Amino acid sequence: MPLKTFSGGIHPLEKTHHGKGLSEHLAITKPEAPRRVKLPMAQHIGAPCRPLVVAGDRVLRGQLIGETGGFVSAPVHASVSGAVLSVQPERAIGGQTPLTVTIENDFKDETVEFIPADPAALSREELLKRVAAAGLAGMGGAAFPLHVKLSPPEGTKIDYLLLNGAECEPYLTADHRMMLERGEMILKGAAILKRILDADAAIIGIEANKQDAIANLERLAQGSGIKIQPLRVKYPQGSEKQIIQSLTGRQVPSGKLPAAAGCVVVNVSTAHAVYEAVALGKPLIDRVLTVTGEGIETPANLEVPIGTEISHLIACCGGLKDGSARLVSGGPMMGIAVFEEDLPIVKGSSGILALLHGSQDAHGEGPCIHCGRCSRGCPIHLQPYELYSDMLKKDWAAAEKHGALDCVECGACSYICPARREVTSAIRVAKRQAQALKRK
Amino acid sequence: MPTKLSVSLSPHVRGELSTQGIMLRVFIALLPAALMGVYAFGGQALWTLILSTASAVLAEALAQKLLKRPVTAFHDGSAAVTGLLLGLCLPPAVPWYLAVVGSAFAVVIAKQVFGGLGSNFVNPALAGRAFLLACWPAAMTTFIGIDGQTGATPLAYLQSPTDLAAAFGENWRLDAFLGRVPGTIGEVSTLALLLGAAFLLISRIIDWRIPLSYLASLGVLSVIAGVELSASLLLGGVVLSAFFMATDYVTSPASSWGKIVFGLGCGVVNFVIRQWGAYPEGVTYAILLMNVCSPLIERATRPKKYGEVKARA
């Protein structure tokens, strides 16, 4: 089958198989349970949750402990059973300090009763209700509350449900393993999503470096009406706007949501969680993520309770080589630097990387030589070097005119820049300022 | 065990190719042409190339020191490329001080004065050559043949293949391709230049758009004007300039269509100067003129960004 793709993009870490060789062959395992979990009340984009427990309460696994703070919000459930140690602001990945419920694990694994249901017997509204109640948020990284995504504005026709199995970030292999090991549930989740959206077609896009996953889903999807589409291996193939272009040839209008292009994109692991939520009645309390990188002793794809501290994950993987590393939450292109080891993983955490200390260029940032590599690599066809200079001039109006608000912050421009300029960071600054200017 | 974490800005991994790596590849790509020049014209050509390269690096270092900028002249490689390029577009028998003055002008006046690497608005090597052409017109247009005789550039005979045959023998086409017809040090062997150009194209250091549109427009116009195609492209500095000077990142557009417009413009201006201008070769001024237009071309050929579509429904 011919590979589909988008325009622009780059090929990061091509020589080393995108770093995926470390963990792509490793089956998902459940490591030793953590001693405690920390559950931030803001793990999603949108309004933070209100905690329903206080220190000293005993909670069961799966129990609702944070109720939604608005429509764009996702409830939080306890991921282990045990006693609530504290409810207070704590440091989270990314540096914010949201209200966080810390639970000491009693290792009894006592669980609230999950009420299963037959998806086929439920109406669209009932399906959507179960999705919202389970606290589902995008598991590919952005953690956008799923029920919001599934409720497009009145009168919007969704033609395509697109399932994102691109996993274009180097190193990460969690989605790959999910498609290999839990393909059936992903497909069942996809069928539920398709019904909720009343979409005409459902397509799963997978980068061609995961041939085994493609073959597995093709086999399982026979007769289901869900199409499997191999995609060219190119970064950022799994970016929402890009996978829409790859799979449908459509573009999301500038400043609009994918629904404006008649599409909804859901990560494959999220589709798996949809199946669990709707059919099994299980809220989002566990997730699979990749712990990998050259700095970790034994890379792995782990299924762990949400709220597990990074230090526990590292310990489960044999620790850091020589005790030092650059830790990143997420993939190496868009992930966030981790500055403390005891921060918890959240619903959107797709991986923890331990990279070796940077062999950053000895001479640091050099001057822009206008080589145009950033422009050619930009999947939005912006001129990143131009936005960089807008930032230096603090000309936010120019930055907006030059498309700063359309930037998806994929990092391609910084990766490719021969002068090692922090182009993406510069654009991020310009984008925030241009957004602020626009709100005024 | 206490752990030590270091943090970085995303993306946390970076590509391999650096500015230095690009300059190194361009320098390497120029070596076949330099070798053929030295083979054709002997030790004096070698001396000129060494002098022009060394003076460019030293002059840049000195300028950076005086301007209190970080001294990058020795490691970023851009001054060395400029110096070598300037040397390659000098006639083999120029007095030694022309190589020094030309290189110094190129890196100090055309580049450092405007802010250094990335901030110059014209190609430094060509600016240096233009300066020399204005100050020492005779020395810059006197060429020695392979036989050691001095004479005019073969471009003087451009209009007539019979004159070319009379001056350089029946096999002038093959000779010009291989490097046996007079010219500047770097332009003699088209074969060597194409070898270097192929390396740059394959390793994606340069893009095909500028050289192709440049050579195509010059070729087509020349043929229309009755000049033989092989004469218009094999003689003079067109191939050297199209692949190694017009493709200079700093002074040419970054957009794909911009590159094509830029290349076409170079070819047209080059043709006009050759056909009606006072100089037999128009490469230098053609590219310098287009350098100045480059920002305008880029603005006019901005690619359409993703998402410039209407919402459905």
Side-chain angles (χ1 to χ4, degrees):
Chain A
M1 204 187 298
L3 301 180
K4 293 198 171 181
T5 196
F6 62 98
S7 50
I10 58 163
H11 301 276
L13 308 184
E14 206 172 15
K15 279 188 196 155
T16 53
H17 187 48
H18 321 283
K20 290 181 189 276
L22 293 173
S23 60
E24 65 181 356
H25 56 285
L26 301 170
I28 298 166
T29 51
K30 265 191 180 170
E32 196 186 317
R35 207 163 43 77
R36 60 175 182 192
V37 293
K38 291 179 184 166
L39 296 160
M41 292 293 106
Q43 303 188 23
H44 46 266
I45 292 177
C49 290
R50 282 183 295 270
L52 299 172
V53 292
V54 291
D57 285 358
R58 180 175 148 75
V59 294
L60 302 180
R61 181 169 142 83
Q63 182 181 328
L64 182 71
I65 58 164
E67 65 177 3
T68 53
F71 177 64
V72 183
S73 186
V76 177
H77 302 77
S79 56
V80 297
S81 63
V84 174
L85 279 179
S86 63
V87 181
Q88 62 190 34
E90 303 235 15
R91 188 71 66 192
I93 291 168
Q96 312 87 329
T97 48
L99 214 49
T100 299
V101 174
T102 304
I103 304 169
E104 179 160 44
N105 193 354
D106 61 11
F107 297 99
K108 288 183 186 148
D109 221 12
E110 277 182 83
T111 307
V112 297
E113 196 190 340
F114 298 147
I115 301 155
D118 175 12
L122 297 176
S123 70
R124 283 170 60 192
E125 288 68 31
E126 286 167 321
L127 292 172
L128 195 56
K129 222 177 200 171
R130 282 177 85 87
V131 167
L136 296 191
M139 294 167 81
F144 191 74
L146 186 63
H147 66 279
V148 182
K149 214 182 227 188
L150 300 180
S151 317
E154 203 62 43
T156 310
K157 166 80 183 116
I158 299 300
D159 304 317
Y160 291 103
L161 163 67
L162 305 176
L163 289 141
N164 191 343
E167 203 165 48
C168 61
E169 274 273 10
Y171 288 100
L172 301 185
T173 57
D175 287 346
H176 183 178
R177 293 311 305 184
M178 290 293 283
M179 290 187 283
L180 267 183
E181 299 176 34
R182 302 181 189 178
E184 213 163 326
M185 289 176 270
I186 291 173
L187 290 168
K188 283 180 180 163
I192 296 168
L193 288 165
K194 188 165 177 251
R195 260 197 67 207
I196 295 176
L197 291 166
D198 193 21
D200 296 336
I203 312 173
I204 307 185
I206 307 172
E207 271 194 352
N209 57 1
K210 294 178 263 292
Q211 285 299 335
D212 47 358
I214 294 170
N216 184 49
L217 288 183
E218 260 172 358
R219 184 176 57 81
L220 294 169
Q222 265 168 18
S224 69
I226 295 171
K227 191 182 163 200
I228 315 299
Q229 176 62 54
L231 300 171
R232 178 156 297 149
V233 182
K234 188 165 76 166
Y235 182 85
Q237 187 66 263
S239 155
E240 196 166 59
K241 287 178 177 176
Q242 275 53 57
I243 205 166
I244 288 171
Q245 191 182 29
S246 294
L247 291 174
T248 69
R250 295 181 182 179
Q251 295 186 9
V252 181
S254 177
K256 296 275 181 355
L257 291 171
C263 298
V264 165
V265 183
V266 178
N267 175 276
V268 286
S269 291
T270 315
H272 173 265
V274 166
Y275 165 77
E276 289 196 325
V278 173
L280 309 180
K282 184 188 167 192
L284 182 53
I285 50 177
D286 300 315
R287 73 156 296 153
V288 174
L289 80 175
T290 309
V291 183
T292 185
E294 283 77 17
I296 203 103
E297 278 297 338
T298 49
N301 296 299
L302 300 177
E303 181 167 31
V304 293
I306 284 164
T308 301
E309 286 160 290
I310 293 168
S311 50
H312 179 75
L313 296 175
I314 292 171
C316 290
C317 291
L320 297 175
K321 287 180 186 165
D322 81 15
S324 67
R326 274 190 298 147
L327 287 182
V328 174
S329 165
M333 296 298 295
M334 291 188 71
I336 303 170
V338 173
F339 47 91
E340 278 172 39
E341 272 181 283
D342 51 3
L343 304 181
I345 61 125
V346 291
K347 292 172 183 174
S349 304
S350 46
I352 296 296
L353 302 185
L355 300 171
L356 299 178
H357 284 292
S359 52
Q360 298 289 357
D361 199 289
H363 303 295
E365 276 195 20
C368 171
I369 55 170
H370 191 248
C371 68
R373 284 179 173 77
C374 53
S375 307
R376 288 194 295 278
C378 179
I380 308 295
H381 315 313
L382 304 176
Q383 270 64 349
Y385 60 88
E386 189 178 58
L387 287 162
Y388 193 121
S389 88
D390 292 338
M391 189 281 287
L392 291 178
K393 287 184 259 178
K394 297 194 177 10
D395 188 344
W396 315 126
E400 192 194 335
K401 198 178 125 225
H402 293 148
L405 298 178
D406 291 282
C407 173
V408 295
E409 305 180 28
C410 69
C413 49
S414 285
Y415 178 89
I416 207 78
C417 179
R420 307 279 183 261
R421 291 167 77 76
E422 298 291 354
V423 195
T424 312
S425 300
I427 299 175
R428 214 176 273 143
V429 170
K431 185 177 168 183
R432 304 286 178 271
Q433 296 288 345
Q435 275 166 342
L437 196 71
K438 214 177 175 185
R439 273 197 295 268
K440 266 183 199 166
Chain B
M1 179 174 51
T3 54
K4 209 176 146 197
L5 301 180
S6 55
V7 292
S8 45
L9 289 167
S10 71
H12 305 277
V13 288
R14 299 297 162 101
E16 285 170 25
L17 188 64
S18 62
T19 302
Q20 211 175 356
I22 292 170
M23 296 301 169
L24 180 67
R25 283 165 175 79
V26 175
F27 197 89
I28 290 171
L30 285 169
L31 290 180
L35 280 173
M36 286 306 286
V38 172
Y39 174 75
F41 304 115
Q44 201 184 356
L46 180 64
W47 174 236
T48 302
L49 293 180
I50 292 174
L51 205 58
S52 68
T53 309
S55 341
V57 173
L58 290 174
E60 175 151 285
L62 199 67
Q64 288 177 324
K65 207 114 214 148
L66 290 174
L67 292 165
K68 297 190 169 58
R69 291 189 183 141
V71 178
T72 58
F74 298 109
H75 66 253
D76 79 10
S78 65
V81 167
T82 298
L84 181 59
L85 270 174
L86 180 86
L88 290 173
C89 48
L90 294 178
V94 287
W96 65 270
Y97 51 85
L98 258 67
V100 176
V101 172
S103 281
F105 183 90
V107 297
V108 178
I109 306 297
K111 188 174 162 196
Q112 286 300 328
V113 163
F114 289 96
L117 179 62
S119 302
N120 49 297
F121 71 102
V122 289
N123 183 315
L126 287 176
R129 184 180 141 86
F131 179 71
L132 296 178
L133 215 48
C135 297
W136 289 279
M140 286 297 288
T141 47
T142 306
F143 295 91
I144 47 168
I146 309 305
D147 54 6
Q149 297 286 316
T150 56
T153 162
L155 286 170
Y157 309 110
L158 203 55
Q159 305 297 338
S160 156
T162 21
D163 289 352
L164 278 165
F168 305 109
E170 280 306 319
N171 286 329
W172 64 267
R173 291 180 192 84
L174 182 66
D175 286 346
F177 184 69
L178 294 178
R180 292 196 288 244
V181 164
T184 70
I185 299 171
E187 75 191 25
V188 283
S189 172
T190 308
L191 174 65
L193 288 167
L194 289 180
L195 212 65
F199 167 67
L200 290 185
L201 285 167
I202 291 167
S203 57
R204 303 193 139 208
I205 299 297
I206 62 168
D207 184 88
W208 56 269
R209 289 177 180 84
I210 290 175
L212 196 78
S213 53
Y214 186 166
L215 297 176
S217 60
L218 178 64
V220 167
L221 289 172
S222 300
V223 168
I224 292 171
V227 178
E228 191 182 308
L229 185 66
S230 48
S232 73
L233 298 183
L234 291 178
L235 303 174
V238 177
V239 172
L240 171 64
S241 307
F243 287 101
F244 296 94
M245 309 261 211
T247 54
D248 172 29
Y249 296 145
V250 180
T251 54
S252 66
S255 59
S256 298
W257 282 108
K259 284 182 163 60
I260 290 176
V261 172
F262 181 86
L264 291 175
C266 288
V268 171
V269 179
N270 199 343
F271 170 77
V272 168
I273 296 175
R274 273 191 183 181
Q275 197 73 11
W276 297 292
Y279 290 102
E281 179 60 300
V283 166
T284 307
Y285 295 108
I287 299 180
L288 286 175
L289 189 67
M290 293 311 292
N291 284 163
V292 180
C293 302
S294 174
L296 293 174
I297 296 173
E298 185 161 297
R299 208 175 303 165
T301 54
R302 184 180 285 275
K304 198 174 167 184
K305 74 180 184 196
Y306 177 107
E308 288 184 351
V309 291
K310 279 215 171 81
R312 313 175 82 87

